[in-house]
Amino acid sequence: MNNFVYHNPAKILFGKGVEKDAAREIRACGGTRVLLVYGGGSIKRSGLYDTLTDSLKAEGLPFWELPGVQPNPRLTPVKEGIRLCRENGIDFLLAAGGGSAIDTAKGIAVGVPYNGDVWDFYERKVKAEKALPVGAVLTIPAAGSETSDSSVLTKEEGLRKLGCGSPVMIPRFAIMNPELTCTLPAYQTACGASDILAHLMERYFTQVDHVDFTDRLLEASMRTILDYAPLALAHPEDYDIRAEIMWAGTIAHNNLLDTGRVGDWGSHRIEHELSAIYDIAHGAGLAVVFPAWMKYVWRDGPDRFVQFAARVFGVEIAHGNKERAVEAAIARLEQFYRSLGLPTRLSEAGIPDDRLREMAQKCTLPGPQGNFKKLYEEDVYNIYCLAK
Ligand code: NZQ
Ligand code: ZN
């Protein structure tokens, strides 16, 4: 096990009705002027918008709004938010929604105190050391951005989707009421489950030895998603099912489960090229990429894959045949995705095969990707080909 420092200061308020406390939490963090960041309207339809704005008014907190954040969020609204904050002396960002609203708020948060172009953080030219405080009201368990230290944005020019990370980006609080996720369309529920599972698998596939405790936590978390995602589709309004997924989604990505180990993250980078160009849901892209990545890399650490097959999918290793066990686990993973209505091939996601080389180049522009196996341009291209 590697040395590690674990520090995640995000306060979590979980359960029915907790969104009513949003304004009080902002006050407790010292916020006095608020920018409310949200997406295309789901929070208005669910009534969350009214609850939050009523709570801000009751607490006497003036607020401004940045609506219309789109999935796979873009850079331009971040710049608009930075301008709004500077012009109005806004000192707190409240994001209501999923990864897209929260990541936009995080981009604004680091952009306001920075004199240069906020994209510098995403190109990793500089690391964010200052940020306005952010609070998150989560409506979709998926990206884990509600307590993660990262933000992912797409720059319109060149369609580059890049992530940046810094401890100053961790939200001060995450408000998580599973009831708010009951309005999710089935496809978004499925995409969210796929993203959560991917965050667990990225951490699971490590080359670091003696990490059995976190292996076991990861296996339990993966099993939770494999069991509960189909239940959420069958019973979308069941609070307890939604609650299991929501809590697992946060724990999957708050860095607790990669303590002492080095995760892979190659599949995420490979996927980001798909959602950047084709604007597909991140979770759908991961369902396409992850099985192909597994087929390509498993021989670089067969024992870990055999453990995954046995403990997560209950695959028996007949006659010591590792290859067959790994193939069976990948087939079961693909079957899981299909059962949720997700694509497992580029073609099923409506993605043609004429830009695979370009995506492989863009993906490896900063250097080779992944830690389980270092992936160079040719490797990434081969993985896209396996996913056709
Ligand atoms: O825009 P609205 O109207 O709110 O609709 C959203 C959106 O269309 C809808 N939705 C959300 N909650 C709902 C709802 N519809 C009905 N009822 C509800 N309760 O769902 C759609 C997707 O929302 P989005 O915020 O895009 O989803 P998600 O949380 O999956 O975020 C995806 C983004 O996060 C990034 C992804 O790359 C992608 O850009 N990620 C961010 C990470 C991070 N910051 O740590 C890590 C992840 O690996 C990921 O890369
Ligand atoms: Zn993800």
Side-chain angles (χ1 to χ4, degrees), residues 191-199 201-202 265-272 274-275 280-292 333 337 342-344:
C191 289
S194 165
D195 194 15
I196 297 169
L197 185 62
H199 295 160
M201 294 192 296
E202 296 280 20
W265 300 104
S267 298
H268 263 69
R269 283 292 300 115
I270 296 171
E271 190 297 307
H272 283 166
L274 302 180
S275 45
I280 59 167
H282 172 60
L286 288 165
V288 170
V289 169
F290 236 113
L333 178 65
Y337 290 136
L342 293 173
T344 58

PDB file of all heavy atoms in Angstrom, residues 191-199 201-202 265-272 274-275 280-292 333 337 342-344:
ATOM      1  N   CYS A 191     -27.105   6.023 -17.207  1.00  0.00           N
ATOM      2  CA  CYS A 191     -25.807   6.668 -17.463  1.00  0.00           C
ATOM      3  C   CYS A 191     -25.111   7.003 -16.147  1.00  0.00           C
ATOM      4  O   CYS A 191     -23.887   6.858 -16.024  1.00  0.00           O
ATOM      5  CB  CYS A 191     -26.000   7.946 -18.293  1.00  0.00           C
ATOM      6  SG  CYS A 191     -26.457   7.605 -20.000  1.00  0.00           S
ATOM      7  N   GLY A 192     -25.892   7.433 -15.180  1.00  0.00           N
ATOM      8  CA  GLY A 192     -25.309   7.744 -13.873  1.00  0.00           C
ATOM      9  C   GLY A 192     -24.712   6.504 -13.223  1.00  0.00           C
ATOM     10  O   GLY A 192     -23.590   6.528 -12.708  1.00  0.00           O
ATOM     11  N   ALA A 193     -25.448   5.389 -13.281  1.00  0.00           N
ATOM     12  CA  ALA A 193     -24.948   4.138 -12.691  1.00  0.00           C
ATOM     13  C   ALA A 193     -23.662   3.709 -13.391  1.00  0.00           C
ATOM     14  O   ALA A 193     -22.707   3.241 -12.748  1.00  0.00           O
ATOM     15  CB  ALA A 193     -26.009   3.051 -12.809  1.00  0.00           C
ATOM     16  N   SER A 194     -23.629   3.867 -14.695  1.00  0.00           N
ATOM     17  CA  SER A 194     -22.432   3.485 -15.456  1.00  0.00           C
ATOM     18  C   SER A 194     -21.231   4.338 -15.038  1.00  0.00           C
ATOM     19  O   SER A 194     -20.108   3.829 -14.896  1.00  0.00           O
ATOM     20  CB  SER A 194     -22.722   3.653 -16.959  1.00  0.00           C
ATOM     21  OG  SER A 194     -21.536   3.625 -17.696  1.00  0.00           O
ATOM     22  N   ASP A 195     -21.458   5.623 -14.826  1.00  0.00           N
ATOM     23  CA  ASP A 195     -20.346   6.495 -14.421  1.00  0.00           C
ATOM     24  C   ASP A 195     -19.841   6.105 -13.022  1.00  0.00           C
ATOM     25  O   ASP A 195     -18.635   6.030 -12.783  1.00  0.00           O
ATOM     26  CB  ASP A 195     -20.806   7.966 -14.455  1.00  0.00           C
ATOM     27  CG  ASP A 195     -19.644   8.943 -14.392  1.00  0.00           C
ATOM     28  OD1 ASP A 195     -18.493   8.523 -14.598  1.00  0.00           O
ATOM     29  OD2 ASP A 195     -19.894  10.146 -14.142  1.00  0.00           O
ATOM     30  N   ILE A 196     -20.774   5.842 -12.120  1.00  0.00           N
ATOM     31  CA  ILE A 196     -20.369   5.446 -10.757  1.00  0.00           C
ATOM     32  C   ILE A 196     -19.543   4.153 -10.816  1.00  0.00           C
ATOM     33  O   ILE A 196     -18.470   4.044 -10.213  1.00  0.00           O
ATOM     34  CB  ILE A 196     -21.606   5.257  -9.845  1.00  0.00           C
ATOM     35  CG1 ILE A 196     -22.363   6.575  -9.694  1.00  0.00           C
ATOM     36  CG2 ILE A 196     -21.182   4.710  -8.479  1.00  0.00           C
ATOM     37  CD1 ILE A 196     -23.733   6.433  -9.042  1.00  0.00           C
ATOM     38  N   LEU A 197     -20.066   3.175 -11.564  1.00  0.00           N
ATOM     39  CA  LEU A 197     -19.340   1.909 -11.696  1.00  0.00           C
ATOM     40  C   LEU A 197     -17.946   2.151 -12.284  1.00  0.00           C
ATOM     41  O   LEU A 197     -16.951   1.550 -11.852  1.00  0.00           O
ATOM     42  CB  LEU A 197     -20.145   0.952 -12.587  1.00  0.00           C
ATOM     43  CG  LEU A 197     -19.608  -0.459 -12.737  1.00  0.00           C
ATOM     44  CD1 LEU A 197     -19.562  -1.178 -11.398  1.00  0.00           C
ATOM     45  CD2 LEU A 197     -20.471  -1.257 -13.727  1.00  0.00           C
ATOM     46  N   ALA A 198     -17.878   3.057 -13.246  1.00  0.00           N
ATOM     47  CA  ALA A 198     -16.580   3.353 -13.880  1.00  0.00           C
ATOM     48  C   ALA A 198     -15.613   3.977 -12.870  1.00  0.00           C
ATOM     49  O   ALA A 198     -14.421   3.657 -12.865  1.00  0.00           O
ATOM     50  CB  ALA A 198     -16.780   4.284 -15.065  1.00  0.00           C
ATOM     51  N   HIS A 199     -16.118   4.855 -12.009  1.00  0.00           N
ATOM     52  CA  HIS A 199     -15.225   5.458 -11.005  1.00  0.00           C
ATOM     53  C   HIS A 199     -14.666   4.391 -10.069  1.00  0.00           C
ATOM     54  O   HIS A 199     -13.530   4.483  -9.601  1.00  0.00           O
ATOM     55  CB  HIS A 199     -15.977   6.532 -10.203  1.00  0.00           C
ATOM     56  CG  HIS A 199     -16.383   7.699 -11.060  1.00  0.00           C
ATOM     57  ND1 HIS A 199     -17.375   8.577 -10.711  1.00  0.00           N
ATOM     58  CD2 HIS A 199     -15.933   8.105 -12.281  1.00  0.00           C
ATOM     59  CE1 HIS A 199     -17.510   9.488 -11.677  1.00  0.00           C
ATOM     60  NE2 HIS A 199     -16.655   9.208 -12.626  1.00  0.00           N
ATOM     61  N   MET A 201     -14.287   1.117 -10.951  1.00  0.00           N
ATOM     62  CA  MET A 201     -13.379   0.246 -11.716  1.00  0.00           C
ATOM     63  C   MET A 201     -12.055   0.951 -12.007  1.00  0.00           C
ATOM     64  O   MET A 201     -10.998   0.316 -11.985  1.00  0.00           O
ATOM     65  CB  MET A 201     -14.056  -0.210 -13.015  1.00  0.00           C
ATOM     66  CG  MET A 201     -15.261  -1.107 -12.750  1.00  0.00           C
ATOM     67  SD  MET A 201     -15.933  -1.973 -14.205  1.00  0.00           S
ATOM     68  CE  MET A 201     -16.502  -0.634 -15.223  1.00  0.00           C
ATOM     69  N   GLU A 202     -12.110   2.253 -12.277  1.00  0.00           N
ATOM     70  CA  GLU A 202     -10.848   2.990 -12.515  1.00  0.00           C
ATOM     71  C   GLU A 202      -9.923   2.842 -11.311  1.00  0.00           C
ATOM     72  O   GLU A 202      -8.711   2.731 -11.445  1.00  0.00           O
ATOM     73  CB  GLU A 202     -11.116   4.488 -12.739  1.00  0.00           C
ATOM     74  CG  GLU A 202     -11.925   4.832 -13.980  1.00  0.00           C
ATOM     75  CD  GLU A 202     -11.115   4.834 -15.273  1.00  0.00           C
ATOM     76  OE1 GLU A 202     -10.037   4.229 -15.317  1.00  0.00           O
ATOM     77  OE2 GLU A 202     -11.607   5.438 -16.254  1.00  0.00           O
ATOM     78  N   TRP A 265      -7.677   5.430 -14.857  1.00  0.00           N
ATOM     79  CA  TRP A 265      -8.254   6.637 -15.481  1.00  0.00           C
ATOM     80  C   TRP A 265      -8.076   6.728 -16.990  1.00  0.00           C
ATOM     81  O   TRP A 265      -8.478   7.710 -17.596  1.00  0.00           O
ATOM     82  CB  TRP A 265      -7.763   7.928 -14.774  1.00  0.00           C
ATOM     83  CG  TRP A 265      -8.185   7.877 -13.337  1.00  0.00           C
ATOM     84  CD1 TRP A 265      -7.404   7.597 -12.250  1.00  0.00           C
ATOM     85  CD2 TRP A 265      -9.525   7.998 -12.845  1.00  0.00           C
ATOM     86  NE1 TRP A 265      -8.173   7.553 -11.104  1.00  0.00           N
ATOM     87  CE2 TRP A 265      -9.477   7.794 -11.443  1.00  0.00           C
ATOM     88  CE3 TRP A 265     -10.752   8.253 -13.436  1.00  0.00           C
ATOM     89  CZ2 TRP A 265     -10.612   7.835 -10.632  1.00  0.00           C
ATOM     90  CZ3 TRP A 265     -11.892   8.298 -12.633  1.00  0.00           C
ATOM     91  CH2 TRP A 265     -11.801   8.090 -11.247  1.00  0.00           C
ATOM     92  N   GLY A 266      -7.495   5.697 -17.615  1.00  0.00           N
ATOM     93  CA  GLY A 266      -7.367   5.717 -19.074  1.00  0.00           C
ATOM     94  C   GLY A 266      -8.738   5.729 -19.759  1.00  0.00           C
ATOM     95  O   GLY A 266      -8.958   6.476 -20.718  1.00  0.00           O
ATOM     96  N   SER A 267      -9.666   4.910 -19.258  1.00  0.00           N
ATOM     97  CA  SER A 267     -10.980   4.835 -19.910  1.00  0.00           C
ATOM     98  C   SER A 267     -11.695   6.179 -19.858  1.00  0.00           C
ATOM     99  O   SER A 267     -12.411   6.553 -20.798  1.00  0.00           O
ATOM    100  CB  SER A 267     -11.846   3.759 -19.245  1.00  0.00           C
ATOM    101  OG  SER A 267     -11.238   2.504 -19.384  1.00  0.00           O
ATOM    102  N   HIS A 268     -11.525   6.900 -18.755  1.00  0.00           N
ATOM    103  CA  HIS A 268     -12.155   8.225 -18.676  1.00  0.00           C
ATOM    104  C   HIS A 268     -11.612   9.169 -19.744  1.00  0.00           C
ATOM    105  O   HIS A 268     -12.370   9.876 -20.412  1.00  0.00           O
ATOM    106  CB  HIS A 268     -11.966   8.831 -17.276  1.00  0.00           C
ATOM    107  CG  HIS A 268     -13.168   8.613 -16.403  1.00  0.00           C
ATOM    108  ND1 HIS A 268     -13.522   7.385 -15.949  1.00  0.00           N
ATOM    109  CD2 HIS A 268     -14.113   9.479 -15.948  1.00  0.00           C
ATOM    110  CE1 HIS A 268     -14.641   7.491 -15.241  1.00  0.00           C
ATOM    111  NE2 HIS A 268     -15.019   8.757 -15.227  1.00  0.00           N
ATOM    112  N   ARG A 269     -10.297   9.164 -19.897  1.00  0.00           N
ATOM    113  CA  ARG A 269      -9.716  10.073 -20.895  1.00  0.00           C
ATOM    114  C   ARG A 269     -10.154   9.655 -22.314  1.00  0.00           C
ATOM    115  O   ARG A 269     -10.438  10.502 -23.157  1.00  0.00           O
ATOM    116  CB  ARG A 269      -8.171  10.061 -20.787  1.00  0.00           C
ATOM    117  CG  ARG A 269      -7.628  10.870 -19.630  1.00  0.00           C
ATOM    118  CD  ARG A 269      -7.864  12.390 -19.829  1.00  0.00           C
ATOM    119  NE  ARG A 269      -7.206  12.868 -21.028  1.00  0.00           N
ATOM    120  CZ  ARG A 269      -7.833  13.353 -22.100  1.00  0.00           C
ATOM    121  NH1 ARG A 269      -9.149  13.444 -22.115  1.00  0.00           N
ATOM    122  NH2 ARG A 269      -7.165  13.746 -23.157  1.00  0.00           N
ATOM    123  N   ILE A 270     -10.211   8.342 -22.531  1.00  0.00           N
ATOM    124  CA  ILE A 270     -10.623   7.860 -23.853  1.00  0.00           C
ATOM    125  C   ILE A 270     -12.087   8.230 -24.111  1.00  0.00           C
ATOM    126  O   ILE A 270     -12.464   8.641 -25.212  1.00  0.00           O
ATOM    127  CB  ILE A 270     -10.390   6.331 -23.947  1.00  0.00           C
ATOM    128  CG1 ILE A 270      -8.883   6.042 -23.839  1.00  0.00           C
ATOM    129  CG2 ILE A 270     -10.965   5.756 -25.224  1.00  0.00           C
ATOM    130  CD1 ILE A 270      -8.537   4.565 -23.693  1.00  0.00           C
ATOM    131  N   GLU A 271     -12.894   8.119 -23.066  1.00  0.00           N
ATOM    132  CA  GLU A 271     -14.317   8.489 -23.207  1.00  0.00           C
ATOM    133  C   GLU A 271     -14.484   9.977 -23.447  1.00  0.00           C
ATOM    134  O   GLU A 271     -15.332  10.382 -24.252  1.00  0.00           O
ATOM    135  CB  GLU A 271     -15.098   8.094 -21.941  1.00  0.00           C
ATOM    136  CG  GLU A 271     -16.609   8.206 -22.080  1.00  0.00           C
ATOM    137  CD  GLU A 271     -17.128   9.616 -22.333  1.00  0.00           C
ATOM    138  OE1 GLU A 271     -16.796  10.552 -21.575  1.00  0.00           O
ATOM    139  OE2 GLU A 271     -17.892   9.797 -23.305  1.00  0.00           O
ATOM    140  N   HIS A 272     -13.720  10.804 -22.763  1.00  0.00           N
ATOM    141  CA  HIS A 272     -13.932  12.255 -22.889  1.00  0.00           C
ATOM    142  C   HIS A 272     -13.836  12.725 -24.346  1.00  0.00           C
ATOM    143  O   HIS A 272     -14.509  13.675 -24.738  1.00  0.00           O
ATOM    144  CB  HIS A 272     -12.957  13.023 -21.986  1.00  0.00           C
ATOM    145  CG  HIS A 272     -13.365  12.998 -20.536  1.00  0.00           C
ATOM    146  ND1 HIS A 272     -12.529  13.370 -19.514  1.00  0.00           N
ATOM    147  CD2 HIS A 272     -14.536  12.656 -19.947  1.00  0.00           C
ATOM    148  CE1 HIS A 272     -13.171  13.247 -18.349  1.00  0.00           C
ATOM    149  NE2 HIS A 272     -14.382  12.810 -18.596  1.00  0.00           N
ATOM    150  N   LEU A 274     -14.969  11.073 -26.846  1.00  0.00           N
ATOM    151  CA  LEU A 274     -16.268  10.753 -27.463  1.00  0.00           C
ATOM    152  C   LEU A 274     -17.318  11.792 -27.090  1.00  0.00           C
ATOM    153  O   LEU A 274     -18.023  12.325 -27.951  1.00  0.00           O
ATOM    154  CB  LEU A 274     -16.767   9.367 -26.996  1.00  0.00           C
ATOM    155  CG  LEU A 274     -15.886   8.150 -27.265  1.00  0.00           C
ATOM    156  CD1 LEU A 274     -16.564   6.892 -26.726  1.00  0.00           C
ATOM    157  CD2 LEU A 274     -15.631   7.995 -28.754  1.00  0.00           C
ATOM    158  N   SER A 275     -17.421  12.095 -25.773  1.00  0.00           N
ATOM    159  CA  SER A 275     -18.476  13.046 -25.380  1.00  0.00           C
ATOM    160  C   SER A 275     -18.143  14.465 -25.823  1.00  0.00           C
ATOM    161  O   SER A 275     -19.039  15.290 -25.991  1.00  0.00           O
ATOM    162  CB  SER A 275     -18.787  12.970 -23.881  1.00  0.00           C
ATOM    163  OG  SER A 275     -17.643  12.921 -23.090  1.00  0.00           O
ATOM    164  N   ILE A 280     -22.315  12.777 -26.497  1.00  0.00           N
ATOM    165  CA  ILE A 280     -23.089  11.706 -25.859  1.00  0.00           C
ATOM    166  C   ILE A 280     -22.927  11.817 -24.347  1.00  0.00           C
ATOM    167  O   ILE A 280     -22.015  12.486 -23.859  1.00  0.00           O
ATOM    168  CB  ILE A 280     -22.631  10.300 -26.319  1.00  0.00           C
ATOM    169  CG1 ILE A 280     -21.131  10.088 -25.992  1.00  0.00           C
ATOM    170  CG2 ILE A 280     -22.881  10.096 -27.804  1.00  0.00           C
ATOM    171  CD1 ILE A 280     -20.692   8.653 -26.120  1.00  0.00           C
ATOM    172  N   ALA A 281     -23.814  11.173 -23.603  1.00  0.00           N
ATOM    173  CA  ALA A 281     -23.692  11.187 -22.136  1.00  0.00           C
ATOM    174  C   ALA A 281     -22.406  10.443 -21.740  1.00  0.00           C
ATOM    175  O   ALA A 281     -22.095   9.381 -22.303  1.00  0.00           O
ATOM    176  CB  ALA A 281     -24.907  10.534 -21.502  1.00  0.00           C
ATOM    177  N   HIS A 282     -21.702  11.021 -20.789  1.00  0.00           N
ATOM    178  CA  HIS A 282     -20.432  10.442 -20.318  1.00  0.00           C
ATOM    179  C   HIS A 282     -20.596   8.967 -19.904  1.00  0.00           C
ATOM    180  O   HIS A 282     -19.780   8.109 -20.265  1.00  0.00           O
ATOM    181  CB  HIS A 282     -19.958  11.309 -19.147  1.00  0.00           C
ATOM    182  CG  HIS A 282     -18.795  10.812 -18.381  1.00  0.00           C
ATOM    183  ND1 HIS A 282     -17.558  10.585 -18.951  1.00  0.00           N
ATOM    184  CD2 HIS A 282     -18.661  10.521 -17.050  1.00  0.00           C
ATOM    185  CE1 HIS A 282     -16.721  10.166 -17.998  1.00  0.00           C
ATOM    186  NE2 HIS A 282     -17.361  10.122 -16.850  1.00  0.00           N
ATOM    187  N   GLY A 283     -21.663   8.653 -19.191  1.00  0.00           N
ATOM    188  CA  GLY A 283     -21.884   7.275 -18.719  1.00  0.00           C
ATOM    189  C   GLY A 283     -22.101   6.311 -19.876  1.00  0.00           C
ATOM    190  O   GLY A 283     -21.690   5.144 -19.817  1.00  0.00           O
ATOM    191  N   ALA A 284     -22.752   6.782 -20.946  1.00  0.00           N
ATOM    192  CA  ALA A 284     -22.963   5.928 -22.122  1.00  0.00           C
ATOM    193  C   ALA A 284     -21.618   5.674 -22.809  1.00  0.00           C
ATOM    194  O   ALA A 284     -21.312   4.546 -23.220  1.00  0.00           O
ATOM    195  CB  ALA A 284     -23.947   6.589 -23.084  1.00  0.00           C
ATOM    196  N   GLY A 285     -20.811   6.707 -22.909  1.00  0.00           N
ATOM    197  CA  GLY A 285     -19.489   6.547 -23.522  1.00  0.00           C
ATOM    198  C   GLY A 285     -18.629   5.566 -22.737  1.00  0.00           C
ATOM    199  O   GLY A 285     -17.897   4.750 -23.320  1.00  0.00           O
ATOM    200  N   LEU A 286     -18.747   5.605 -21.414  1.00  0.00           N
ATOM    201  CA  LEU A 286     -17.956   4.683 -20.592  1.00  0.00           C
ATOM    202  C   LEU A 286     -18.389   3.231 -20.805  1.00  0.00           C
ATOM    203  O   LEU A 286     -17.554   2.314 -20.755  1.00  0.00           O
ATOM    204  CB  LEU A 286     -18.091   5.063 -19.114  1.00  0.00           C
ATOM    205  CG  LEU A 286     -17.360   6.341 -18.706  1.00  0.00           C
ATOM    206  CD1 LEU A 286     -17.842   6.826 -17.343  1.00  0.00           C
ATOM    207  CD2 LEU A 286     -15.847   6.124 -18.696  1.00  0.00           C
ATOM    208  N   ALA A 287     -19.684   3.015 -21.040  1.00  0.00           N
ATOM    209  CA  ALA A 287     -20.165   1.644 -21.279  1.00  0.00           C
ATOM    210  C   ALA A 287     -19.583   1.091 -22.584  1.00  0.00           C
ATOM    211  O   ALA A 287     -19.411  -0.115 -22.738  1.00  0.00           O
ATOM    212  CB  ALA A 287     -21.694   1.635 -21.321  1.00  0.00           C
ATOM    213  N   VAL A 288     -19.259   1.989 -23.501  1.00  0.00           N
ATOM    214  CA  VAL A 288     -18.633   1.567 -24.760  1.00  0.00           C
ATOM    215  C   VAL A 288     -17.136   1.316 -24.560  1.00  0.00           C
ATOM    216  O   VAL A 288     -16.585   0.317 -25.043  1.00  0.00           O
ATOM    217  CB  VAL A 288     -18.844   2.658 -25.848  1.00  0.00           C
ATOM    218  CG1 VAL A 288     -18.008   2.368 -27.083  1.00  0.00           C
ATOM    219  CG2 VAL A 288     -20.324   2.794 -26.195  1.00  0.00           C
ATOM    220  N   VAL A 289     -16.494   2.232 -23.816  1.00  0.00           N
ATOM    221  CA  VAL A 289     -15.026   2.196 -23.735  1.00  0.00           C
ATOM    222  C   VAL A 289     -14.524   1.124 -22.760  1.00  0.00           C
ATOM    223  O   VAL A 289     -13.542   0.423 -23.054  1.00  0.00           O
ATOM    224  CB  VAL A 289     -14.488   3.588 -23.306  1.00  0.00           C
ATOM    225  CG1 VAL A 289     -13.003   3.515 -22.963  1.00  0.00           C
ATOM    226  CG2 VAL A 289     -14.742   4.624 -24.398  1.00  0.00           C
ATOM    227  N   PHE A 290     -15.177   0.988 -21.597  1.00  0.00           N
ATOM    228  CA  PHE A 290     -14.580   0.146 -20.546  1.00  0.00           C
ATOM    229  C   PHE A 290     -14.377  -1.312 -20.967  1.00  0.00           C
ATOM    230  O   PHE A 290     -13.291  -1.883 -20.750  1.00  0.00           O
ATOM    231  CB  PHE A 290     -15.362   0.258 -19.231  1.00  0.00           C
ATOM    232  CG  PHE A 290     -14.482   0.676 -18.093  1.00  0.00           C
ATOM    233  CD1 PHE A 290     -14.631   1.908 -17.483  1.00  0.00           C
ATOM    234  CD2 PHE A 290     -13.458  -0.155 -17.644  1.00  0.00           C
ATOM    235  CE1 PHE A 290     -13.798   2.303 -16.445  1.00  0.00           C
ATOM    236  CE2 PHE A 290     -12.613   0.231 -16.603  1.00  0.00           C
ATOM    237  CZ  PHE A 290     -12.789   1.469 -16.010  1.00  0.00           C
ATOM    238  N   PRO A 291     -15.389  -1.962 -21.581  1.00  0.00           N
ATOM    239  CA  PRO A 291     -15.146  -3.357 -21.991  1.00  0.00           C
ATOM    240  C   PRO A 291     -13.986  -3.472 -22.984  1.00  0.00           C
ATOM    241  O   PRO A 291     -13.179  -4.406 -22.909  1.00  0.00           O
ATOM    242  CB  PRO A 291     -16.482  -3.771 -22.632  1.00  0.00           C
ATOM    243  CG  PRO A 291     -17.494  -2.853 -22.009  1.00  0.00           C
ATOM    244  CD  PRO A 291     -16.781  -1.545 -21.818  1.00  0.00           C
ATOM    245  N   ALA A 292     -13.897  -2.497 -23.911  1.00  0.00           N
ATOM    246  CA  ALA A 292     -12.806  -2.551 -24.898  1.00  0.00           C
ATOM    247  C   ALA A 292     -11.460  -2.364 -24.201  1.00  0.00           C
ATOM    248  O   ALA A 292     -10.478  -3.057 -24.514  1.00  0.00           O
ATOM    249  CB  ALA A 292     -13.026  -1.462 -25.958  1.00  0.00           C
ATOM    250  N   LEU A 333     -20.280  -7.878 -17.739  1.00  0.00           N
ATOM    251  CA  LEU A 333     -20.319  -6.414 -17.631  1.00  0.00           C
ATOM    252  C   LEU A 333     -21.091  -5.827 -18.820  1.00  0.00           C
ATOM    253  O   LEU A 333     -21.954  -4.952 -18.649  1.00  0.00           O
ATOM    254  CB  LEU A 333     -18.884  -5.863 -17.589  1.00  0.00           C
ATOM    255  CG  LEU A 333     -18.758  -4.336 -17.532  1.00  0.00           C
ATOM    256  CD1 LEU A 333     -19.341  -3.778 -16.232  1.00  0.00           C
ATOM    257  CD2 LEU A 333     -17.285  -3.911 -17.664  1.00  0.00           C
ATOM    258  N   TYR A 337     -24.610  -3.562 -18.861  1.00  0.00           N
ATOM    259  CA  TYR A 337     -24.860  -2.292 -19.556  1.00  0.00           C
ATOM    260  C   TYR A 337     -26.084  -2.416 -20.468  1.00  0.00           C
ATOM    261  O   TYR A 337     -26.959  -1.554 -20.483  1.00  0.00           O
ATOM    262  CB  TYR A 337     -23.649  -1.890 -20.407  1.00  0.00           C
ATOM    263  CG  TYR A 337     -22.416  -1.469 -19.642  1.00  0.00           C
ATOM    264  CD1 TYR A 337     -21.148  -1.930 -20.023  1.00  0.00           C
ATOM    265  CD2 TYR A 337     -22.483  -0.588 -18.558  1.00  0.00           C
ATOM    266  CE1 TYR A 337     -19.997  -1.526 -19.355  1.00  0.00           C
ATOM    267  CE2 TYR A 337     -21.331  -0.181 -17.880  1.00  0.00           C
ATOM    268  CZ  TYR A 337     -20.096  -0.661 -18.285  1.00  0.00           C
ATOM    269  OH  TYR A 337     -18.958  -0.261 -17.626  1.00  0.00           O
ATOM    270  N   LEU A 342     -27.992   0.688 -22.258  1.00  0.00           N
ATOM    271  CA  LEU A 342     -26.817   1.469 -22.670  1.00  0.00           C
ATOM    272  C   LEU A 342     -26.124   0.800 -23.862  1.00  0.00           C
ATOM    273  O   LEU A 342     -26.157  -0.424 -23.988  1.00  0.00           O
ATOM    274  CB  LEU A 342     -25.826   1.575 -21.505  1.00  0.00           C
ATOM    275  CG  LEU A 342     -26.313   2.388 -20.310  1.00  0.00           C
ATOM    276  CD1 LEU A 342     -25.318   2.275 -19.155  1.00  0.00           C
ATOM    277  CD2 LEU A 342     -26.505   3.853 -20.698  1.00  0.00           C
ATOM    278  N   PRO A 343     -25.460   1.596 -24.687  1.00  0.00           N
ATOM    279  CA  PRO A 343     -24.690   1.024 -25.796  1.00  0.00           C
ATOM    280  C   PRO A 343     -23.401   0.392 -25.271  1.00  0.00           C
ATOM    281  O   PRO A 343     -22.875   0.818 -24.243  1.00  0.00           O
ATOM    282  CB  PRO A 343     -24.351   2.246 -26.652  1.00  0.00           C
ATOM    283  CG  PRO A 343     -24.330   3.389 -25.680  1.00  0.00           C
ATOM    284  CD  PRO A 343     -25.338   3.065 -24.607  1.00  0.00           C
ATOM    285  N   THR A 344     -22.907  -0.621 -25.952  1.00  0.00           N
ATOM    286  CA  THR A 344     -21.585  -1.159 -25.603  1.00  0.00           C
ATOM    287  C   THR A 344     -20.639  -1.131 -26.807  1.00  0.00           C
ATOM    288  O   THR A 344     -19.524  -1.651 -26.729  1.00  0.00           O
ATOM    289  CB  THR A 344     -21.669  -2.612 -25.069  1.00  0.00           C
ATOM    290  OG1 THR A 344     -22.272  -3.420 -26.065  1.00  0.00           O
ATOM    291  CG2 THR A 344     -22.471  -2.705 -23.789  1.00  0.00           C
TER     292      THR A 344
END
